[in-house]
Amino acid sequence: MFSVKPTKPTFRSYLPPVQTDVKKTIESPPKKVEPKLLQAGEIVVNEVNFVRKCLSADSSQEGLWGKLICTNFKVSFIPTDPPSEQKSHLSHLLLGLHDIPLTCLEQVVTVNDTKGKKKVLGSNQKLKFNPTELILYCKDLRIIRFCFVEAGPESAKKVCLAIAHYSHPADLPLLFGFEYQGRRYHDSKGQRVNDRGGLRTPIFDRPSDWDREIKRTGASEWRVCSINENYAISPSLPEHIVVPVSLADQDLKQNSIYFMNQRIPVWCWNHPNGSALVRMASIADPLQQRRIDQRFIPAITKSHPQRSEVIRSDLDKCLPNIQDLQSAFIKIRHICVIDSFEESEERWLSSIENTRWLEYVRAFLKHSAEMVYLLDGKNTSVILQEEEDRDLNCVVSSLVQLMLDPHYRSLVGFQSLVQKEWVMAGHRFLDRCNHLKKNDKDESPLFMLFLDCVWQVMNQYPAAFEFTETYLTVLSDSMWIPLFSTFLFNSPKQRAQYLMDFAKNKAIPQGEDQLVYFPPVWDWSQQYSTADQTLFNNPMFVGKGAACVQNGEVKTFRRTKKTYSATVRGTHASLRNGQKGGEDSLARRGSLLSELKPDFSLVKDESPSERFFRDWFSRPADQQSLLIPLLIPSHLALWKLYFLRWVPEACIFKGGPITAYHKLSQLVDEIEILQSHLRQYKGTRESGSTQLPGLSGPFSSQRRMYFKASSLQDPPSPPDFLTSSFPFTPSGNLCRRSTYGTPISKFLNGARIWLSTETLDNDP
């Protein structure tokens, strides 16, 4: 029988009772956490409380606690106790620090630790277990992990299924951008001041944009043609194209049927020497090759002042295909983001090399440089040919123009280049970005490869570009924000059709400009404040009118119109557009006809192209002229800001290129302040005023640099928030290990332990 009488406690405490404050023991009610939603159509689909955002691979370590929310636009995590804000990252106007657009999600993975189960979720799938973790793999290379240990199991399951469902839209109009822009149009109807919102970047959807480009490049033997109006000829070409003057519209229509997708040869750019860059699709019927050559090649030849030959380059035969590029990108992403640094760091560089990504970057830069030689050095027109003229041609044509024309190295010029050679040329952004996640076989990082190639050239010639690598990275991120028309469609025709239906559904007046109700990405004020946009400005940029010092005297460098670097050419330097001017009084700088330096003497059996490149590299590069990148392996590098910005282990505190950018920005800002003071001082002297100018005034709000000039009170060291990942922050992204140290440091630590053990054992 068990006694029901309770036993008397025998434990006796010898510590005084803890004095507690009754008021303090009463827990304050939890803070109400509310999502920050966009006014134009964003709604909460599902949410779950008591979620922990993991900051390391160790689940036992502390993270951020808060609420996880799925809307029809993004996945949002709202910390219960957000850390104090500091200016350590770009502040996106439409996305918070812990927000992820649904189109940015690559994979949605649910995990149950207790049952050892893991599942990749797709649309309309069932989940048979209650998830304890959610891992989000993002297309911008972030990895985000949430734990549901304290959350309700059913709520956690519902929010996971909602994220998976809304990140796999069934059709393009279901992307949030269509709802957002429709409401934004009606909400801001009274605020628009002109038909294109003050956009400076040409869109090339009107003949006037092409006319200006023809005049800018001096392509007098080419004309704007509108035979594809309403996409009557080709469904993937723009409505307005540029063709040789000598070709009639009827000839173009009759011969278009012989090209893949009816993509006839179209003009891209003209060199001052008269040679043209042209792109085209392959000929569908090889038996018609001779017929096509007889019609188009003579017309392109006639457009050249010297009637030079035309060279065709088949990119499908000499460059990697889109599947190779996708495979290489997946491998390098895996090494940079997913693999454990602790396990792979001893062979990390060789692993990067084995992905072949940098090899492919080099291949595209090398082929583009060869096309530059043909246009600039050999004075011949070039036709870039690809099967469909919508992938490899976009990369090479853009790189060739970037190397040859300094206009495209300005911010507006670069944006017009992307608009002209990618968006309006019919690059399949919808398929290549896989926004609808329907066909992984069509996905390929062509545009990302192009941006990496641009960064390689920028890394070698930093003063030649008006924009920064921050701008390139932000541009790549914008591909995954479905609010702008630039990266959403496969062709101009598809864009026009969807936006026409969109305008009808949203009661937008007929005839309204599509740029007004569904704008492109080029208006950066939609995403960033004016202050944050100054991070796009390169303090080292040597633009038109840049000052230089010669013999102690400040002079202004002004590049004369149509003057490119003098290199070995087949025609005289004064021969331009078929008209010979006065004889040069001096031999051309860098010409083999002039006196050569002993270090650059002629090499026996040297080809003309080798002589061209040797001659160019023998001279200091003119930042406002032709640029040719060095392509030996030691000059190509991993684009760290893009590939490693979210990796905490790779983040260098107060280090990296940003430290130089910080000092240069301060120096440029100080120079511009002094210049402003001098102008004001000169004005006060002329007006007879005795008042000295101050820093306050309109100039203080128009400063171009993100980092302002420092005062004597400022510390000499960089700000504490500067890291090699700036202006991005790896905080809040998955860290794969909690201990730092290289294998050599571990070896030394082990050696010390071994030595101390041996000493103890041998101690008498």
Side-chain angles (χ1 to χ4, degrees):
M1 296 289 295
F2 293 98
S3 173
V4 294
K5 186 178 179 180
T7 58
K8 187 176 180 180
T10 59
F11 175 76
R12 182 179 179 182
S13 174
Y14 294 91
L15 295 175
V18 179
Q19 299 295 325
T20 59
D21 189 347
V22 178
K23 294 182 180 180
K24 289 185 179 179
T25 57
I26 300 175
E27 293 185 1
S28 58
K31 297 179 181 178
K32 191 175 182 180
V33 180
E34 294 295 339
K36 182 181 178 181
L37 302 178
L38 299 179
Q39 296 295 321
E42 187 177 10
I43 58 173
V44 174
V45 176
N46 222 308
E47 61 184 42
V48 57
N49 287 299
F50 308 112
V51 177
R52 181 160 59 89
K53 184 176 182 180
C54 303
L55 304 183
S56 73
D58 188 356
S59 299
S60 63
Q61 290 197 359
E62 195 62 31
L64 292 176
W65 289 89
K67 177 190 286 189
L68 182 63
I69 297 171
C70 174
T71 75
N72 55 342
F73 169 46
K74 63 179 182 280
V75 177
S76 183
F77 177 77
I78 306 169
T80 306
D81 295 310
S84 57
E85 290 191 8
Q86 58 177 354
K87 189 58 181 174
S88 60
H89 58 87
L90 274 171
S91 298
H92 203 285
L93 299 179
L94 305 176
L95 294 166
L97 179 61
H98 302 282
D99 292 350
I100 312 158
L102 292 169
T103 45
C104 188
L105 295 179
E106 180 81 25
Q107 277 191 344
V108 179
V109 180
T110 52
V111 180
N112 187 300
D113 282 338
T114 57
K115 296 183 178 181
K117 292 184 177 181
K118 181 185 291 187
K119 183 173 183 178
V120 179
L121 288 180
S123 181
N124 297 320
Q125 287 189 345
K126 293 182 179 180
L127 189 59
K128 295 182 179 180
F129 59 85
N130 292 326
T132 58
E133 289 184 8
L134 171 68
I135 304 175
L136 302 178
Y137 294 90
C138 306
K139 292 184 177 181
D140 62 0
L141 307 190
R142 283 183 289 175
I143 302 176
I144 313 293
R145 181 164 164 245
F146 301 101
C147 288
F148 300 127
V149 177
E150 303 295 331
E154 284 300 319
S155 298
K157 180 188 289 188
K158 287 180 180 178
V159 80
C160 291
L161 291 172
I163 292 171
H165 176 73
Y166 280 88
S167 63
H168 291 74
D171 199 6
L172 188 59
L174 295 178
L175 291 175
F176 177 69
F178 287 84
E179 179 67 24
Y180 171 77
Q181 294 296 359
R183 296 206 180 191
R184 185 199 62 85
Y185 171 82
H186 290 290
D187 292 343
S188 62
K189 197 169 184 180
Q191 302 174 10
R192 292 189 293 275
V193 293
N194 57 40
D195 61 339
R196 298 222 155 184
L199 192 68
R200 295 171 56 205
T201 303
I203 302 300
F204 294 99
D205 59 344
R206 297 176 174 180
S208 56
D209 290 341
W210 291 104
D211 276 326
R212 278 191 290 270
E213 189 69 3
I214 288 174
K215 291 176 182 176
R216 189 188 69 82
T217 58
S220 57
E221 296 300 317
W222 297 81
R223 66 181 178 91
V224 180
C225 172
S226 299
I227 61 167
N228 200 39
E229 204 161 14
N230 297 321
Y231 308 99
I233 301 296
S234 172
S236 59
L237 281 176
E239 289 188 283
H240 312 287
I241 56 178
V242 178
V243 297
V245 170
S246 59
L247 275 179
D249 288 358
Q250 192 61 30
D251 287 337
L252 296 171
K253 290 178 182 178
Q254 289 177 352
N255 291 284
S256 64
I257 59 174
Y258 301 118
F259 293 88
M260 295 288 291
N261 210 16
Q262 294 79 49
R263 292 181 66 96
I264 60 176
V266 295
W267 175 88
C268 299
W269 182 80
N270 236 64
H271 193 285
N273 63 24
S275 55
L277 179 66
V278 180
R279 58 187 291 177
M280 60 175 263
S282 298
I283 297 171
D285 184 1
L287 298 177
Q288 301 296 328
Q289 180 73 55
R290 186 174 180 181
R291 172 194 175 106
I292 296 301
D293 288 347
Q294 290 175 347
R295 294 301 303 159
F296 285 91
I297 299 299
I300 297 173
T301 301
K302 287 180 183 178
S303 69
H304 197 291
Q306 285 83 46
R307 303 296 191 265
S308 295
E309 62 176 322
V310 178
I311 296 179
R312 180 163 43 212
S313 175
D314 191 342
L315 302 190
D316 290 319
K317 295 180 179 179
C318 55
L319 288 173
N321 58 42
I322 62 171
Q323 289 80 20
D324 293 335
L325 297 175
Q326 175 69 356
S327 175
F329 185 74
I330 290 174
K331 290 176 183 177
I332 197 169
R333 179 178 62 187
H334 201 278
I335 290 171
C336 291
V337 181
I338 300 175
D339 275 355
S340 171
F341 272 63
E342 187 174 8
E343 297 173 0
S344 65
E345 60 184 338
E346 291 176 305
R347 58 183 187 277
W348 195 77
L349 291 175
S350 58
S351 299
I352 292 291
E353 181 183 0
N354 292 336
T355 66
R356 305 189 71 181
W357 176 258
L358 288 177
E359 176 187 333
Y360 293 156
V361 168
R362 180 181 181 274
F364 277 87
L365 286 171
K366 182 175 183 293
H367 193 79
S368 301
E370 291 169 354
M371 299 301 101
V372 166
Y373 159 68
L374 295 175
L375 289 159
D376 186 83
K378 204 174 178 183
N379 198 14
T380 61
S381 294
V382 172
I383 300 177
L384 301 177
Q385 179 178 314
E386 184 194 3
E387 183 178 1
E388 293 189 349
D389 181 33
R390 302 173 72 178
D391 291 312
L392 308 183
N393 270 1
C394 297
V395 181
V396 175
S397 64
S398 300
L399 289 176
V400 169
Q401 294 172 68
L402 189 83
M403 294 178 191
L404 282 166
D405 194 339
H407 169 70
Y408 295 125
R409 302 195 286 268
S410 67
L411 182 62
V412 173
F414 182 78
Q415 293 179 167
S416 70
L417 178 67
V418 174
Q419 185 70 29
K420 175 168 68 83
E421 297 299 328
W422 291 81
V423 181
M424 298 309 292
H427 178 65
R428 290 193 179 98
F429 278 109
L430 180 63
D431 293 341
R432 298 297 178 247
C433 296
N434 202 11
H435 287 315
L436 302 182
K437 300 179 178 65
K438 287 186 175 181
N439 191 350
D440 293 342
K441 293 181 180 179
D442 289 336
E443 187 173 357
S444 186
L446 270 301
F447 191 67
M448 185 59 234
L449 175 89
F450 165 65
L451 294 181
D452 200 333
C453 290
V454 174
W455 179 83
Q456 300 291 342
V457 183
M458 179 190 294
N459 192 42
Q460 295 183 23
Y461 304 102
F465 292 82
E466 186 182 16
F467 48 88
T468 62
E469 65 172 329
T470 296
Y471 167 78
L472 293 178
T473 311
V474 165
L475 181 59
S476 71
D477 290 344
S478 298
M479 285 193 291
W480 317 120
I481 303 177
L483 304 180
F484 316 106
S485 61
T486 307
F487 303 119
L488 281 187
F489 304 98
N490 280 335
S491 66
K493 180 180 180 180
Q494 187 187 54
R495 179 182 299 102
Q497 289 175 337
Y498 273 101
L499 294 189
M500 188 181 301
D501 295 338
F502 165 74
K504 290 179 181 178
N505 295 333
K506 299 299 179 182
I508 296 174
Q510 189 176 3
E512 180 69 276
D513 193 343
Q514 292 179 353
L515 295 187
V516 174
Y517 60 79
F518 213 122
V521 75
W522 310 126
D523 180 8
W524 292 104
S525 63
Q526 300 173 96
Q527 299 187 63
Y528 298 101
S529 66
T530 303
D532 279 349
Q533 288 179 57
T534 56
L535 280 168
F536 300 167
N537 299 332
N538 180 11
M540 292 185 287
F541 176 58
V542 180
K544 294 181 180 179
C548 62
V549 178
Q550 293 181 358
N551 299 325
E553 182 182 356
V554 178
K555 296 184 178 181
T556 300
F557 169 76
R558 295 194 181 277
R559 178 175 164 271
T560 57
K561 190 176 182 181
K562 298 182 185 177
T563 300
Y564 285 71
S565 62
T567 50
V568 181
R569 294 184 174 89
T571 58
H572 197 274
S574 61
L575 193 61
R576 294 290 181 266
N577 294 326
Q579 296 180 355
K580 190 172 181 180
E583 293 295 327
D584 291 345
S585 57
L586 295 174
R588 286 172 291 139
R589 176 173 169 262
S591 170
L592 291 178
L593 302 177
S594 63
E595 184 179 355
L596 291 172
K597 295 181 180 180
D599 294 339
F600 297 99
S601 57
L602 278 171
V603 179
K604 190 176 181 180
D605 299 329
E606 187 180 41
S607 68
S609 62
E610 291 172 337
R611 192 182 315 136
F612 170 84
F613 292 118
R614 177 183 58 79
D615 179 67
W616 190 88
F617 284 114
S618 69
R619 298 173 286 104
D622 182 353
Q623 305 289 336
Q624 278 295 303
S625 186
L626 168 66
L627 289 183
I628 301 175
L630 287 160
L631 299 176
I632 56 177
S634 61
H635 288 91
L636 296 181
L638 179 72
W639 185 8
K640 294 178 182 177
L641 184 64
Y642 176 79
F643 285 104
L644 300 178
R645 57 183 162 148
W646 308 121
V647 182
E649 300 94 324
C651 188
I652 307 171
F653 178 67
K654 289 189 177 182
I658 189 61
T659 54
Y661 178 85
H662 168 251
K663 289 298 182 184
L664 285 168
S665 298
Q666 288 184 318
L667 181 61
V668 169
D669 187 59
E670 188 171 357
I671 291 171
E672 291 179 348
I673 289 174
L674 292 173
Q675 289 174 337
S676 175
H677 283 187
L678 286 172
R679 287 192 296 268
Q680 293 179 34
Y681 180 70
K682 184 178 179 181
T684 55
R685 286 190 61 186
E686 292 176 352
S687 63
S689 173
T690 58
Q691 185 178 1
L692 292 176
L695 183 58
S696 61
F699 174 74
S700 59
S701 62
Q702 299 171 1
R703 292 157 77 174
R704 295 187 308 112
M705 294 294 110
Y706 182 82
F707 296 106
K708 306 300 186 286
S710 59
S711 63
L712 295 176
Q713 291 76 26
D714 293 335
S717 61
D720 289 339
F721 59 76
L722 274 193
T723 69
S724 56
S725 296
F726 184 87
F728 309 95
T729 172
S731 175
N733 294 288
L734 186 61
C735 175
R736 285 167 296 284
R737 59 175 180 169
S738 56
T739 58
Y740 294 85
T742 60
I744 188 66
S745 66
K746 296 172 193 172
F747 169 77
L748 292 175
N749 287 333
R752 281 195 292 270
I753 295 171
W754 174 82
L755 183 61
S756 62
T757 306
E758 289 292 306
T759 305
L760 288 172
D761 289 343
N762 296 329
D763 194 23

